[in-house]
Amino acid sequence: MYLPLELLHEIILVSLSSSPTAPEETGVSIKQNWASLEPLTLASKVYRKQALNAWFRTLYAKTPSDVFHFGLIFPDFCGITREFHGVQLNTRKSSVWDLGRLKQLKKIRLDWLSPYMTPHYGSNMSDRLPFTHAPPTVKELDIRGIPWPSPIVFLNIHTIFPNLNILCLRQQRIWCGLCHTCCVPRFSSPGPEKIVYTDGGGLPLHYSRVLRDLQHLHTIYITIADFGGGKTMLRDSPDHNPYRWAGECDSCMEIMYEDKVFRDMWVAKKMDITMNGYGAPPVLNKVEWNFWKAEASEEIDVEESGDELTEELAEEAL
């Protein structure tokens, strides 16, 4: 006696819904092991089709050729995939992901494992996010580990993902709108855990500028490290965030905020998103900053990669 297909489909989806790895771990598939599903594929043709449909709803790939061969070997399942999880390996060659075959794709996650390069491809400096032929169905983009998250990285985002609703970023550095560089975040102990803005603000102003053409972007999540040892006092409640922190580095907060006239002008500019000249995504209603406490080993890694990345960027500019 067979189970109704609708019930079987739900059972399979539930069995695959829990991730075998921590969701923050980069470079590792969030899917269950194939062994957990394989017996079902051997039970019958009906069960096998249902199991494969569920399995290929999420596609995990370490190289663009994985996506290409998936389309050749399993063409019937390309329309099944709703979530793509790609990995930029720790190399000095940027992968470019052709997503044209995944016609019903909804969500993309890219784990950036290379600490020595930033996203780019081709000769056009505006070609930054390494995706081509992304279907207009993509609503959510999740990028983790970019070592130098300059606003330039997102210059072409509105042309690749015009219908984006949600943008998620997780990284060790953050862009400071005052000194115009990517900095290691430091706060005085205990530091913040979460800061939420619901008025269309809360982004570094240069981020607002490059994202303002995303007509459907309503939510942005930014998760960054807190390496501690800073002088910036920032807590979760609005009462402890009077200057509307939005990525400013510890050094700029200490030096430039001493000038009350400048500080008040800067805060006013951040608050008036319609008149500050930078603009913002028109329907943005939530910017959520999350912070994790970085370990000492992470600080060593980010400092070492920063030295090599500076050299890489200098060579690129020549």
Side-chain angles (χ1 to χ4, degrees):
M1 178 179 179
Y2 289 110
L3 291 172
L5 291 182
E6 296 84 357
L7 179 58
L8 175 62
H9 181 69
E10 291 301 318
I11 292 174
I12 295 173
L13 289 181
V14 170
S15 68
L16 294 176
S17 62
S18 59
S19 173
T21 61
E24 296 82 11
E25 188 174 357
T26 56
V28 179
S29 175
I30 59 174
K31 298 172 65 171
Q32 288 285 350
N33 294 326
W34 170 251
S36 65
L37 193 65
E38 185 179 15
L40 199 59
T41 67
L42 303 176
S44 71
K45 290 183 178 180
V46 173
Y47 279 24
R48 180 163 57 251
K49 182 177 180 180
Q50 290 291 319
L52 290 176
N53 282 343
W55 178 255
F56 286 123
R57 284 183 68 87
T58 299
L59 179 63
Y60 174 73
K62 288 187 176 182
T63 67
S65 64
D66 292 343
V67 183
F68 175 76
H69 287 109
F70 169 71
L72 290 181
I73 299 172
F74 301 104
D76 295 339
F77 291 102
C78 287
I80 298 296
T81 301
R82 298 295 189 271
E83 181 174 348
F84 172 73
H85 181 186
V87 179
Q88 168 60 53
L89 298 176
N90 189 357
T91 69
R92 292 187 178 273
K93 182 179 180 181
S94 180
S95 299
V96 180
W97 306 89
D98 186 343
L99 304 177
R101 291 177 178 267
L102 309 180
K103 300 298 185 181
Q104 299 300 319
L105 195 61
K106 303 293 186 184
K107 178 180 178 180
I108 295 173
R109 170 175 164 177
L110 179 62
D111 293 351
W112 198 269
L113 301 187
S114 175
Y116 309 121
M117 59 182 292
T118 55
H120 67 279
Y121 66 92
S123 58
N124 189 339
M125 288 295 288
S126 66
D127 289 337
R128 287 289 173 171
L129 289 178
F131 301 101
T132 62
H133 305 115
T137 54
V138 175
K139 304 293 185 181
E140 184 173 347
L141 177 63
D142 183 347
I143 302 181
R144 308 184 180 205
I146 292 180
W148 199 259
S150 159
I152 295 176
V153 170
F154 304 102
L155 277 179
N156 62 342
I157 189 172
H158 65 284
T159 61
I160 301 177
F161 306 113
N163 298 313
L164 198 66
N165 294 157
I166 300 173
L167 175 63
C168 305
L169 305 173
R170 182 181 175 88
Q171 57 220 18
Q172 290 180 315
R173 292 185 179 91
I174 187 57
W175 176 260
C176 174
L178 290 172
C179 60
H180 296 186
T181 189
C182 294
C183 304
V184 175
R186 299 185 187 277
F187 302 95
S188 65
S189 182
E193 294 183 0
K194 179 188 293 186
I195 297 175
V196 181
Y197 299 94
T198 57
D199 56 4
L203 286 176
L205 291 182
H206 298 93
Y207 271 35
S208 294
R209 174 181 287 171
V210 297
L211 299 176
R212 65 186 178 185
D213 291 328
L214 289 169
Q215 300 296 311
H216 308 285
L217 182 65
H218 58 70
T219 304
I220 299 176
Y221 298 98
I222 305 177
T223 302
I224 61 173
D226 175 7
F227 288 89
K231 296 183 179 180
T232 301
M233 295 188 64
L234 189 62
R235 303 294 182 265
D236 295 356
S237 68
D239 294 339
H240 292 86
N241 184 23
Y243 306 133
R244 293 177 61 86
W245 182 89
E248 292 88 351
C249 70
D250 191 51
S251 297
C252 286
M253 294 280 285
E254 179 184 4
I255 298 171
M256 302 179 74
Y257 274 34
E258 285 293 316
D259 184 336
K260 183 179 184 303
V261 174
F262 171 82
R263 184 184 67 216
D264 292 346
M265 179 192 67
W266 178 250
V267 174
K269 180 183 289 189
K270 292 192 293 183
M271 293 182 67
D272 194 348
I273 59 174
T274 61
M275 300 296 292
N276 59 25
Y278 290 85
V283 298
L284 182 64
N285 57 37
K286 182 179 181 180
V287 174
E288 180 177 308
W289 293 83
N290 292 281
F291 306 81
W292 86 84
K293 302 299 181 183
E295 303 292 337
S297 58
E298 292 182 88
E299 183 166 6
I300 293 173
D301 290 342
V302 78
E303 288 179 353
E304 289 180 349
S305 65
D307 293 339
E308 292 208 25
L309 186 56
T310 300
E311 296 178 3
E312 181 81 14
L313 293 172
E315 292 176 1
E316 182 179 314
L318 295 177

